[in-house]
Amino acid sequence: MADLKGIPIEVERRPVQSGEKFVTPQGFTAIRDGIKRSHSSMPFAPGTKPRWLRAPLATGARFETLRQTVREHRLSTVCEEAHCPNIGECWNAGTATLLGSVCTRACRFCAVDTGNPRGWLDADEPANAARTVSLMGLGYVVLTSVDRDDLPDGGAAHLAACVRAIKVANPKTAVEALTPDFQGVLRDVETVVDSGIEVFAQNVETVERLTHPVRDPRAGYRQTLNVLEHSKRHRPAVLTKTSLMLGLGETTDELLQTMDDLRAIGCDLLTLGQYLRPTANHLPVERYVTPEQFLELRGAALQRGFLECVSGPMVRSSYRAERALAGNNCGIPGA
Ligand code: SF4
């Protein structure tokens, strides 16, 4: 607290702008929204999003209750961080982000803050996560997490501890874990896959040709395939899942090739959604894929043997995850 002649004065701290560095409550620096502001940042192009990209407002009693509960239990959610359009609907199910809110990577489509937490971890997170699931009475929970390349095991043991705590306190709750790639270290993948989860997810995000520039240099198309393949080989009963964003410049042939590559390693579930640019510092949208095109791609995926391909403009990897096996595109119209 600053003072003037011994009189404490309140210094108005202006909110951190997107792309700016800031110091986190844990004392390390990070970049707001993950990507530094640069001279080459292209302002948002005028013109409107197509009509099918309109999401319900994030309101409602359950939404507010969950936001309150998440705050009280010091949990973060990638939903808020990544500006997810479905937050209003999703939060009436159950998602939580573990390993903190600062990622060690900087993928050029993602608005999660980036920095180096230097090994910081919230030791109470497993208990808080379990308590939040109990309080919310969740039958299905999606645990997402940032990448933590600063930790020797990428956070695998901590994630597994959170899953076990949730399972002990909520034996009937099914858990889906959307994890980092652990830099391809397969024993760390096993640590999470052996923790009691029902679904293991790691996102390939885009087609092989576009992996770099879209994803952080430490991520890789083949690395993600290897991680998913090992999960399936190590524990076949655990479903594997991945997700692609469309509208970054990929062709339909490349999408079909990606589906073939994923089926070749036994991937069970796929989600396809429209990439939306979170800030002017992130990659531009190359095209808006129509709802009809999403349904055609779902058809192609089901023909290739995926248990389900949840496909639509607003779809994200955790979107209506608890309904993935209903076989009706999670109730998205037109299926
Ligand atoms: S690793 Fe995940 S959370 Fe981190 S920047 Fe990339 S997409 Fe975002």
Side-chain angles (χ1 to χ4, degrees):
M1 170 80 73
D3 72 276
L4 178 63
K5 295 197 177 81
I7 305 160
I9 51 169
E10 193 60 40
V11 179
E12 183 58 33
R13 296 194 186 291
R14 69 174 180 76
V16 179
Q17 302 301 306
S18 182
E20 280 184 349
K21 261 196 181 166
F22 68 100
V23 178
T24 65
Q26 293 79 26
F28 56 85
T29 54
I31 295 169
R32 178 65 81 220
D33 296 341
I35 305 290
K36 262 202 210 115
R37 190 182 297 176
S38 72
H39 302 302
S40 62
S41 298
M42 297 184 299
F44 277 99
T48 57
K49 282 186 208 159
R51 61 175 163 68
W52 55 78
L53 281 174
R54 302 228 169 96
L57 271 185
T59 56
R62 189 154 166 81
F63 175 80
E64 289 309 331
T65 314
L66 183 57
R67 178 153 50 185
Q68 192 58 29
T69 308
V70 164
R71 298 268 183 285
E72 278 163 17
H73 291 84
R74 299 204 313 268
L75 290 178
S76 45
T77 69
V78 85
C79 322
E80 293 179 289
E81 307 274 338
H83 309 191
C84 180
N86 300 317
I87 193 168
E89 178 187 340
C90 254
W91 272 24
N92 291 316
T95 57
T97 299
L98 305 175
L99 298 174
S101 60
V102 174
C103 183
T104 49
R105 298 190 180 177
C107 301
R108 298 188 56 220
F109 63 87
C110 177
V112 170
D113 298 340
T114 294
N116 181 350
R118 303 189 191 293
W120 174 85
L121 269 179
D122 177 357
D124 299 331
E125 196 164 49
N128 284 336
R131 203 172 305 120
T132 303
V133 170
S134 308
L135 272 173
M136 298 308 302
L138 298 173
Y140 193 97
V141 63
V142 179
L143 302 178
T144 65
S145 69
V146 294
D147 270 58
R148 293 292 306 267
D149 301 293
D150 60 310
L151 297 168
D153 70 348
H158 183 85
L159 278 175
C162 291
V163 174
R164 281 193 292 274
I166 289 170
K167 286 284 184 183
V168 168
N170 316 274
K172 292 202 180 72
T173 299
V175 177
E176 172 176 325
L178 173 54
T179 77
D181 60 15
F182 304 114
Q183 298 189 13
V185 178
L186 300 182
R187 72 172 174 280
D188 295 332
V189 174
E190 292 175 10
T191 300
V192 176
V193 175
D194 290 341
S195 66
I197 57 174
E198 279 74 15
V199 180
F200 176 83
Q202 189 352 247
N203 289 347
V204 76
E205 308 290 8
T206 185
V207 299
E208 185 160 20
R209 174 178 61 86
L210 296 175
T211 297
H212 304 120
V214 169
R215 299 176 74 188
D216 184 278
R218 285 159 288 185
Y221 181 86
R222 295 290 154 188
Q223 181 161 279
T224 291
L225 293 188
N226 292 345
V227 163
L228 290 165
E229 183 175 32
H230 188 69
S231 168
K232 183 49 74 180
R233 191 184 309 126
H234 179 71
R235 229 172 235 282
V238 173
L239 294 179
T240 50
K241 176 178 178 177
T242 197
S243 182
L244 278 106
M245 300 167 293
L246 277 53
L248 286 159
E250 71 291 331
T251 66
T252 301
D253 285 349
E254 287 175 319
L255 290 169
L256 300 178
Q257 181 57 55
T258 305
M259 291 179 189
D260 291 338
D261 293 347
L262 289 164
R263 286 302 300 143
I265 52 116
C267 186
D268 302 299
L269 300 168
L270 176 64
T271 74
L272 303 175
Q274 170 71 49
Y275 166 61
L276 293 175
R277 188 185 197 191
T279 78
N281 305 323
H282 290 83
L283 290 171
V285 173
E286 296 293 332
R287 67 175 173 136
Y288 289 111
V289 182
T290 67
E292 296 71 25
Q293 289 166 322
F294 274 107
L295 291 178
E296 279 162 27
L297 288 163
R298 177 172 180 258
L302 295 178
Q303 269 168 10
R304 283 164 172 75
F306 285 96
L307 288 180
E308 177 57 296
C309 170
V310 185
S311 183
M314 303 302 284
V315 169
R316 298 292 177 270
S317 51
S318 315
Y319 183 64
R320 299 183 182 175
E322 75 285 0
R323 294 160 62 176
L325 296 179
N328 63 353
N329 202 22
C330 288
I332 296 166

